Amino acid sequence: MGKGNFKIFNVVGARPNMMKMAPIMAEMRSHSELNPVLVHTGQHYDFAMSQVFLEQLKLGEPDYNLQVGSGTHHAQTAEVMRRFGELVQADRPDLIVVAGDVNSTMACALVGAKELIPVAHVESGLRSFDRTMPEEINRVVTDSVSDILFTTESSAAENLLHEGIDPNKIHFVGNAMIDSLIFALDTARKSTLRERLGVQQGGYIVLTLHRPANVDDPVRLPAALEAIAKISEDLPVIFPIHPRTAARATELGIAGMHAWDGTQTVAANGVWTMPPASYIDFLGLVDSAAMVVTDSGGIQEETTYLGVPCLTFRDNTERPVTVTEGTNRLIGTDPENLLREARLTLSQSLQRAKCYTPPNLWDGHASERIVAIIRNYLTTAGLSASVATAAR
Ligand code: UD1
């Protein structure tokens, strides 16, 4: 079979998609019958939110950039569908691969389903059971229209089966984002960010907050940051700040945080904001942190792999394995509890477990398993679809 017989659209939209797609595309490139194409919806577009990730993860320039940009959830979703729909009508792929749970994930999966193009979903089956989260809607819809569902932990298959998904579609392959982490860890440990900040190994806390439920709430955000400010009396808190959070903090007139401008060092305890960090810098920063406080999904998994204590400032998690087998603690959104749990964690000085075993199949080989299944699908079960494409 000649090179590139099977055209595969790999979709990225927002920052966390890129860590999952990079190792999968790299693996696809090593198989001559596959023609992997990178489609960026443009949901994230700032250099610090997109370009630096494409570069560091060696994804390269997207073959297509739909430049959708920001908007309300419905407008953004609709615009991705409109532009991606036009693209697949002009240049029809044999398979669409989407990852995670962002608006672009759901929008492109829906287009695939409507255009009768098979869809593979990486990181499927995770459920917070909280339908107020936009990501939960995206996960449920994406899974319901996908043809191949790749899961990262055992809870996912249980959730999918409970929703009536055909078990033959579900494949437990492990965690492609951890493939990226393992690939980048040596480089990340050489990052100079810690030095530039002037913080010591194990001598600081990393904070990230970006969920609408936390940062769009005019009561919750200041209250959380007040609790964090108290924690920062013990250790400096480094806060790479998401554009959404930065905008809300400005709107609410939240004061008392120091802005790290990249030149001075973190001379004192306190909360230090900085622009969104690159993948390599962030990984290096988290790897040496005393503790992480976050409302992110992916960071719960990264800290679990690294054995770094993580407090998740949310009422639920769609990634229960990080709590049952990892270093994650779900602490809810009460600021008093945040303070209590943070002090407890620091006083216990939870050390990185010496013989720590990561969750099953978080081993750096998820992408190989994913691509093996895709190749099998395209050359056997998916053959008729591919032949139909060729005839079109
Ligand atoms: C999105 C995902 C979320 C993921 C997060 C990672 C959805 C529903 N949410 O949330 O699951 O955890 O990405 O960061 O898809 N903005 C910029 N520059 C950018 C991108 C965004 O300034 O490059 C600002 C815009 O003001 C925008 C806001 O951030 O309105 C939010 O961006 P958006 O893509 O809507 O969602 P995120 O909060 O980033």
Side-chain angles (χ1 to χ4, degrees), residues 197-221:
L197 282 161
V199 290
Q200 305 301 317
Q201 169 133 13
Y204 59 93
I205 296 161
V206 174
L207 170 69
T208 80
L209 289 175
H210 76 284
R211 296 266 160 225
N214 286 333
V215 306
D216 292 353
D217 183 327
V219 176
R220 193 182 287 177
L221 182 63

Side-chain angles (χ1 to χ4, degrees), residues 128-326:
S128 65
F129 303 103
D130 175 0
R131 294 264 174 130
T132 67
M133 287 178 75
E135 292 83 1
E136 184 74 352
I137 308 290
N138 293 345
R139 292 181 200 114
V140 172
V141 173
T142 303
D143 286 336
S144 73
V145 299
S146 291
D147 302 277
I148 317 175
L149 297 102
F150 294 119
T151 62
T152 52
E153 61 168 271
S154 59
S155 73
E158 288 165 29
N159 297 333
L160 292 169
L161 294 173
H162 185 71
E163 289 170 18
I165 302 278
D166 176 354
N168 293 317
K169 293 181 176 176
I170 305 170
H171 304 272
F172 175 44
V173 290
N175 196 324
M177 192 187 65
I178 299 300
D179 291 5
S180 274
L181 185 155
I182 291 170
F183 181 74
L185 194 53
D186 279 347
T187 314
R189 286 183 170 148
K190 293 183 196 123
S191 155
T192 58
L193 177 60
R194 207 157 37 84
E195 204 179 303
R196 284 183 282 135
L197 282 161
V199 290
Q200 305 301 317
Q201 169 133 13
Y204 59 93
I205 296 161
V206 174
L207 170 69
T208 80
L209 289 175
H210 76 284
R211 296 266 160 225
N214 286 333
V215 306
D216 292 353
D217 183 327
V219 176
R220 193 182 287 177
L221 182 63
L225 290 175
E226 212 173 294
I228 296 284
K230 288 194 188 129
I231 299 161
S232 78
E233 289 165 13
D234 298 333
L235 280 182
V237 172
I238 311 299
F239 185 16
I241 193 160
H242 185 285
R244 169 199 286 282
T245 313
R248 297 295 175 272
T250 307
E251 277 163 29
L252 293 169
I254 293 175
M257 298 190 287
H258 314 284
W260 182 67
D261 67 8
T263 58
Q264 85 272 45
T265 53
V266 170
N269 292 349
V271 182
W272 292 80
T273 61
M274 59 174 282
S278 73
Y279 180 59
I280 296 292
D281 279 347
F282 188 74
L283 198 54
L285 196 65
V286 166
D287 183 51
S288 290
M291 174 175 79
V292 174
V293 179
T294 191
D295 60 6
S296 151
I299 296 170
Q300 297 172 46
E301 296 185 341
E302 288 165 338
T303 48
T304 275
Y305 185 84
L306 296 169
V308 173
C310 177
L311 301 184
T312 295
F313 189 68
R314 284 174 47 188
D315 292 322
N316 49 56
T317 179
E318 61 288 335
R319 293 162 160 90
V321 76
T322 62
V323 176
T324 54
E325 294 184 31

